[in-house]
């Protein structure tokens, strides 16, 4: 809880106008987001989870390891993503056993990235990259971090043409929600990639995105 409190205090003054970075880390409760992906309605498993070796398409977004044009470079047991994404932004899975798993754990269903050690090894669980490609470009999003143990995560954002928007570090990691807001509210976030160097790895849950309808 102390990590969550520190993050929220740091994020409290940030708005789309005040933030000087391309994408700002913000209090997720400050965002009005209409679409939610929880992973609860897809096949999952306990322990290492249910292995997903292909891309995972869900309503509103597709999940994988990286985008076409990018490469994976192991940093110890963790994935790091290098290279320039091609346009149009296209989701790519990892190698067999080095992509994703869906885990049911203490009432929550979460999405893990698997590192180079491979499924079902514990040292690979939660240490792989997770990429998300939206069906529609976004200006804001939020998700829950699971399993963090005072490590670090990095979220990298891309436009539909593959161009790089910016990166946002999340440190220290822990069990809390994080929100991200594009500077000036620009709706050009087509996708993002999460990598981490957390000692226990990271999973994500409850992805929120989508603008409220314009009723004017």
């Amino acid at each position: 809880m102390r990590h969550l409190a520190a993050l929220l205090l740091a994020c409290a003054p940030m708005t789309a106008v005040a933030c000087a970075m391309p994408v700002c880390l913000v209090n997720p409760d400050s965002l009005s987001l209409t679409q939610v992906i929880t992973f609860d309605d897809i096949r999952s498993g306990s322990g290492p989870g249910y292995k997903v070796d292909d891309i995972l398409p869900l309503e509103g977004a597709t999940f994988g390891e990286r985008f076409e044009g990018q490469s994976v470079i192991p940093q110890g047991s963790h994935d790091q993503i290098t290279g320039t994404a091609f346009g149009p932004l296209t989701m790519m899975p990892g190698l067999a056993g080095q992509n994703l798993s869906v885990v049911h754990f203490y009432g929550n269903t979460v999405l893990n990235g698997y590192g180079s050690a491979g499924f079902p090894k514990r040292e690979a669980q939660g240490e792989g990259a997770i990429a998300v490609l939206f069906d529609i470009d976004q200006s804001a999003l939020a998700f829950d971090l699971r399993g963090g143990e005072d490590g670090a995560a990095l979220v990298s954002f891309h436009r539909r043409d593959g161009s790089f928007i910016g990166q946002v570090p999340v440190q220290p990691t822990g069990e809390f929600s994080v929100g991200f807001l594009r500077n000036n509210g620009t709706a050009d976030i087509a996708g993002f990639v999460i990598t981490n160097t957390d000692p226990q790895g990271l999973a994500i849950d409850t992805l929120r995105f989508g603008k409220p309808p314009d009723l004017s």
Side-chain angles (χ1 to χ4, degrees), residues 115-197:
S116 59
F119 185 95
K121 294 180 180 177
R122 179 62 189 90
E123 62 268 30
Q125 186 174 353
E127 307 204 356
I130 299 175
V132 180
L133 177 61
F134 294 111
D135 294 353
I136 299 172
D137 293 355
Q138 305 294 321
S139 59
L141 59 109
F143 55 81
D144 297 345
L145 288 176
R146 300 292 186 190
E149 295 288 344
D150 292 333
L154 187 66
V155 187
S156 302
F157 297 89
H158 297 267
R159 298 180 183 88
R160 189 73 54 180
D161 65 2
S163 60
F164 178 68
I165 298 173
Q167 294 179 320
V168 178
V170 180
Q171 187 175 10
T173 53
E175 294 262 349
F176 48 76
S177 300
V178 286
F180 302 90
L181 180 64
R182 186 74 167 91
N183 189 301
N184 294 323
T186 305
D188 63 352
I189 298 173
F192 63 94
V193 181
I194 311 164
T195 56
N196 78 87
T197 54

Side-chain angles (χ1 to χ4, degrees), residues 66-109:
R66 68 194 189 284
F67 300 120
E68 186 177 11
Q70 296 180 321
S71 300
V72 179
I73 304 296
Q75 181 178 327
S77 58
H78 294 80
D79 283 354
Q80 298 301 308
I81 302 298
T82 64
T84 301
F86 297 159
L89 205 61
T90 301
M91 182 61 71
M92 299 295 291
L95 298 173
Q98 299 178 34
N99 190 44
L100 305 171
S101 78
V102 186
V103 182
H104 188 72
F105 183 72
Y106 285 105
N108 294 310
T109 304

